[in-house]
C-alpha cells in the first residue's frame, strides 16, 4: 500500500519543530483521520483537538499545507496530490498550547468584545418574554441575519485574515459576522452599544474587503459581506448623525 | 473609536470625490493639450474663475486628506504606528499637503 508522509509541527508556546510520520495512504481518509491514526499508533503524546468529526463543533481546525481548514471534513486527496506530503501546523493567529492545539480563548474573547451575544429587547436580565416575536422570514433583516447564523466558530476565517496578523486587537471576521447577525436581529436591544463596539480600527474599519475569510470559511459563510454591512450601517449613521 | 470612524468616513467621501475629480482632471488635460500647451492658455482658463478655484482647492483638500488617511492605515499595519497622537499628526500632514495644492490653485486664480 502506498505511504503518506505527514509533517506535524510539535512544540508549545516557547517554540517547536516539525516531526515526520508515515501512515498508509488510503483512498478515503480525512486529515483528522490521519492525525488520529498517528496519535493512536505512533505518537500518543500528540496534542490536537476534535469533537464531532462531522463539521459541526468547529474544534478541529488546523493549517493544512499552508491553509487553514477544518480537518474532519477535509479529504487528504483534495489537498495533497498522490505522493505529496501533508504538512500540519496549529491554527495561525492564536497562541499555541501544544502541538496542533491552539488556545481559542482570545478568539472567543473577541466575540464578547463585539457584543456577540443576544440582548433581548423586551426581556432584560434574561427574563422570558411574554410572547413570541414575529420576524417574517422574508424580511431583509431576517435574511441578512440568516445568512451568517450557521457559524461553527472554527476560527478558520480568523486564521486566514492578514489584518488579524497585522493588528492582534482586530476583532476579525467571525466576531464581526456574529455582530452583523445581531445588528439585524429586530428583537435585540443593544444596537447602539454593539455598533460602537465594532467600530474603529479594532473593528470593521480595518477590514480591506480582501475576502480571504469568505473564500476559506468551510461553512460557505460570507463574513466579508457582513463586515461591509457594518461599515455601510456605520457610514450612514455617522453622516446622518444617527446614534445606533 | 468615533475619531477612527470619522477618518474612515472621510476617506470614503474623499475617494468618491477623487473618482469624479480625477476624471474631470484627465478630460481637461486631454482637451487642453490639443494644439499645444502654454502657461497663457492655462491662465486664460483659471484666472478669475471661481469654479476652477473651487474645483482645484477641493481636489487638493480631498487628495491630501485621502492620501494621509491611507498612509496612516499602512503605517499602522506595517510599522505598528498607532495612537491618537499619530492620528493628529497624519491629519496635520494631510492638511499641510492639501495647503500646498490649495495655494497653487489660488495662484492660478489670482495670477
Ligand atoms: C480616483 C481616485 C481614488 C479613489 C476612488 C480611491 C479609493 C480608495 C479606497 C476605496 C481606499 C480604501 C482601500 C481599503 O480600505 O482597503 C483607498 C485607500 C488608499 N488610497 Fe485611494 N483612492 C483614490 C486616489 C488616491 C490618491 C490620488 C492617492 C495618493 C496620492 C491615494 C492613496 C491611498 C492610500 C495610501 C490608501 C491606503 C491603502 C489602504 O488602506 O489599503 N488614493 N483609496
Ligand atoms: S475581508 Fe476583511 S475580515 Fe475578511 S479576510 Fe479580508 S480583511 Fe480579513
Ligand atoms: S465564519 Fe466560517 S470560518 Fe469563520 S469561524 Fe464561522 S464557520 Fe469558521
Ligand atoms: S471535529 Fe467538529 S468540526 Fe471538525
Amino acid at each position: 500500500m502506498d505511504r503518506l508522509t505527514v509533517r506535524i509541527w510539535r512544540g508549545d508556546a516557547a517554540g517547536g519543530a516539525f516531526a515526520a510520520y508515515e501512515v498508509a495512504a488510503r483512498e478515503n481518509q480525512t486529515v483528522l483521520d490521519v492525525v488520529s491514526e498517528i496519535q493512536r499508533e505512533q505518537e500518543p503524546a500528540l496534542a490536537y483537538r476534535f469533537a464531532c468529526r462531522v463539521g459541526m463543533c468547529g474544534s478541529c481546525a488546523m493549517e493544512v499545507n499552508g491553509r487553514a481548514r477544518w480537518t474532519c471534513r477535509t479529504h487528504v486527496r483534495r489537498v495533497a496530490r498522490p505522493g505529496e506530503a501533508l504538512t500540519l501546523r496549529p491554527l495561525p493567529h492564536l497562541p499555541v498550547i501544544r502541538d496542533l492545539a491552539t488556545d481559542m480563548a482570545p478568539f472567543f474573547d473577541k466575540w464578547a468584545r463585539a457584543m456577540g451575544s443576544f440582548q433581548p429587547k423586551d426581556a432584560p436580565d434574561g427574563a422570558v418574554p411574554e410572547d413570541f416575536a414575529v420576524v417574517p422570514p422574508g424580511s431583509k433583516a431576517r435574511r441578512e441575519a440568516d445568512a451568517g447564523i450557521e457559524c461553527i466558530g472554527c476560527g478558520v476565517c480568523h486564521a486566514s485574515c492578514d489584518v488579524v496578523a497585522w493588528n492582534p486587537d482586530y476583532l476579525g471576521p467571525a466576531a464581526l459576522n456574529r455582530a452583523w447577525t445581531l445588528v439585524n436581529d429586530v428583537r435585540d436591544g443593544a444596537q447602539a452599544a454593539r455598533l460602537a463596539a465594532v467600530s474603529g480600527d479594532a473593528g470593521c474599519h480595518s477590514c480591506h474587503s480582501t475576502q480571504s475569510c469568505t473564500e476559506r470559511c468551510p461553512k460557505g459563510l460570507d463574513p466579508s459581506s457582513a463586515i461591509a454591512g457594518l461599515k455601510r450601517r456605520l457610514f450612514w449613521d455617522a453622516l446622518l448623525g444617527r446614534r445606533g | 473609536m468615533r475619531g477612527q470612524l470619522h477618518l474612515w468616513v472621510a476617506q470614503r467621501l474623499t475617494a468618491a470625490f477623487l473618482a469624479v475629480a480625477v476624471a474631470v482632471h484627465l478630460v481637461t488635460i486631454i482637451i487642453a493639450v490639443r494644439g499645444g500647451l502654454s502657461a497663457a492658455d492655462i491662465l486664460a482658463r483659471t484666472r478669475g474663475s471661481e469654479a476652477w478655484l473651487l474645483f482645484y482647492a477641493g481636489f487638493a483638500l480631498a487628495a491630501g486628506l485621502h492620501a494621509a488617511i491611507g498612509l496612516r492605515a499602512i503605517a499602522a499595519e506595517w510599522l505598528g504606528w498607532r495612537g491618537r497622537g499619530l492620528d493628529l499628526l497624519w491629519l496635520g500632514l494631510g492638511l499641510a499637503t492639501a495647503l500646498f495644492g490649495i495655494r497653487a490653485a489660488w495662484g492660478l486664480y489670482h495670477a
Side-chain angles (χ1 to χ4, degrees):
Chain A
M1 192 180 248
D2 286 342
R3 308 292 290 170
L4 172 70
T5 303
V6 189
R7 299 171 67 236
I8 298 183
W9 190 90
R10 303 217 51 212
D12 54 25
F18 282 99
Y21 304 89
E22 265 200 11
V23 296
R26 295 174 217 280
E27 179 60 24
N28 262 318
Q29 62 191 155
T30 65
V31 174
L32 183 64
D33 290 338
V34 168
V35 174
S36 293
E37 183 177 334
I38 291 169
Q39 190 271 332
R40 280 177 201 170
E41 290 172 17
Q42 303 180 34
E43 192 69 76
L46 178 65
Y48 67 111
R49 191 190 287 119
F50 75 95
C52 71
R53 306 183 342 278
V54 290
M56 289 175 71
C57 70
S59 64
C60 65
M62 300 170 198
E63 190 182 283
V64 182
N65 289 8
R67 273 196 182 208
R69 296 180 182 276
W70 56 359
T71 54
C72 69
R73 300 283 303 265
T74 300
H75 281 264
V76 172
R77 63 182 145 77
R78 273 191 43 226
V79 291
R81 282 180 295 273
E84 197 183 337
L86 213 52
T87 300
L88 306 179
R89 296 174 60 86
L91 200 61
H93 305 162
L94 288 169
V96 175
I97 299 173
R98 194 158 62 82
D99 303 341
L100 298 171
T102 48
D103 180 2
M104 300 292 283
F107 174 72
F108 288 111
D109 286 348
K110 291 180 178 181
W111 288 46
R113 263 170 53 211
M115 296 195 58
S117 62
F118 176 52
Q119 307 289 328
K121 194 188 276 176
D122 49 3
D125 305 324
V128 178
E130 301 246 312
D131 207 348
F132 290 110
V134 179
V135 186
S139 65
K140 188 164 182 298
R142 172 71 179 267
R143 279 186 280 124
E144 290 280 6
D146 282 350
I149 208 71
E150 297 288 348
C151 171
I152 57 174
C154 64
V156 165
C157 54
H158 185 266
S160 308
C161 174
D162 288 330
V163 176
V164 173
W166 292 323
N167 180 8
D169 285 339
Y170 175 52
L171 292 171
L176 292 170
N177 175 74
R178 173 66 185 156
W180 179 240
T181 64
L182 288 166
V183 164
N184 283 290
D185 192 329
V186 296
R187 304 164 305 160
D188 189 282
Q191 300 303 353
R194 182 173 298 107
L195 284 167
V198 299
S199 172
D201 290 349
C204 64
H205 295 113
S206 280
C207 164
H208 290 297
S209 315
T210 51
Q211 303 187 10
S212 310
C213 51
T214 295
E215 155 134 4
R216 305 273 165 90
C217 172
K219 295 286 290 178
L221 305 188
D222 187 0
S224 182
S225 292
I227 295 168
L230 290 173
K231 289 175 179 169
R232 221 180 308 119
R233 175 65 182 271
L234 282 157
F235 178 80
W236 290 110
D237 283 359
L239 275 196
L240 305 176
R242 292 189 303 223
R243 295 237 165 179
Chain B
M1 301 301 164
R2 284 199 81 73
Q4 296 167 356
L5 164 64
H6 289 138
L7 285 177
W8 186 89
V9 168
Q11 206 197 20
R12 301 305 133 137
L13 291 176
T14 53
F17 179 71
L18 283 172
V20 177
V22 167
V24 170
H25 185 56
L26 287 175
V27 169
T28 311
I29 291 172
I30 289 163
I31 292 172
V33 296
R34 288 189 312 178
L37 184 68
S38 72
D41 288 342
I42 296 173
L43 288 176
R45 194 167 36 247
T46 61
R47 185 181 284 147
S49 164
E50 278 82 21
W52 281 119
L53 172 65
L54 210 69
F55 173 72
Y56 281 116
F59 198 168
L61 184 65
L65 288 177
H66 181 87
I69 298 170
L71 291 173
R72 166 187 175 274
I74 295 173
E77 287 173 358
W78 289 72
L79 306 171
W81 293 5
R82 296 194 173 87
R84 221 175 144 65
L86 280 165
D87 284 355
L88 292 174
L89 206 70
W90 284 117
L91 204 60
L93 209 71
L95 290 173
T97 37
L99 217 60
F100 283 108
I102 292 169
R103 199 182 63 160
W106 176 253
L108 288 172
Y109 171 78
H110 204 248

